[in-house]
Amino acid sequence: MLDRSLPQIDELYKEIILEHYRNPYGRVPVKRTDYQAEGVNPLCGDEVKLGVELEGDKIKDVQVEAHGCSICVASSSMLANILQGKAITEAKKISTFLKDIMQGKVNGREIDIGDLEVLSGVKKFPLRIKCALLPWTTLDEAFVGHDHVEMS
Ligand code: ZN
């Protein structure tokens, strides 16, 4: 079935996005929620709810409830997948890097972002950039409290 909400992007990219959309990562509830946040993208109707469980200073698991278009759900799934086992500082780096890619600030790939790479195909469609970044801006919000801990 064709997802009409998908903009005209590379077929291979589309396939990867739809694969995440159909079988998203992050659907298993975390045992303990150390950080959480919710985000909404009113332009598209996307909603994301995140819960992060830590083990030491590493992210053990991320639980994501994403509702909305395929790009938002796929990006949420990729987030849950790539952040497993990462330190919070690494997670923030990936988040910043992805935003820079979307804003056309970087073209290089100095960080391995796995499937997230395909989301760069969306940057030609300004309205959809918010869909792709919603889980990541929500993640930033979840970690706001962490910054305060680091500073004190
Ligand atoms: Zn959307």
Side-chain angles (χ1 to χ4, degrees):
M1 200 181 76
L2 192 77
D3 179 352
R4 288 187 203 214
S5 74
L6 264 183
Q8 295 302 309
I9 54 173
D10 191 277
E11 283 301 319
L12 175 68
Y13 282 15
K14 219 180 256 189
E15 262 316 300
I16 296 172
I17 288 173
L18 288 176
E19 184 56 38
H20 276 277
Y21 180 66
R22 292 187 199 111
N23 303 300
Y25 292 93
R27 288 288 156 104
V28 181
V30 289
K31 290 195 188 74
R32 191 190 65 231
T33 308
D34 293 306
Y35 292 99
Q36 60 181 335
E38 287 176 44
V40 193
N41 170 18
L43 289 174
C44 180
D46 303 320
E47 286 177 25
V48 171
K49 213 170 150 186
L50 285 179
V52 181
E53 179 180 357
L54 296 185
E55 192 168 58
D57 58 354
K58 295 250 160 81
I59 295 168
K60 188 177 180 223
D61 257 315
V62 184
Q63 181 186 353
V64 204
E65 275 174 52
H67 301 283
C69 70
S70 51
I71 290 173
C72 177
V73 173
S75 181
S76 304
S77 166
M78 292 171 193
L79 177 148
N81 189 27
I82 199 171
L83 293 189
Q84 247 184 7
K86 296 269 196 300
I88 291 180
T89 46
E90 287 175 273
K92 286 181 181 172
K93 227 183 258 178
I94 294 169
S95 177
T96 305
F97 187 57
L98 188 66
K99 280 177 213 145
D100 285 348
I101 290 174
M102 290 308 207
Q103 286 160 11
K105 285 188 194 160
V106 282
N107 288 307
R109 294 289 179 263
E110 51 267 33
I111 304 178
D112 178 18
I113 53 169
D115 282 355
L116 280 169
E117 175 82 41
V118 307
L119 291 179
S120 64
V122 173
K123 74 178 176 199
K124 291 174 277 179
F125 308 92
L127 282 174
R128 309 313 296 280
I129 292 176
K130 271 202 155 65
C131 304
L133 291 182
L134 179 65
W136 297 90
T137 51
T138 307
L139 182 78
D140 293 343
E141 258 171 58
F143 287 148
V144 164
H146 184 76
D147 288 330
H148 293 300
V149 176
E150 279 180 333
M151 278 189 283
S152 63

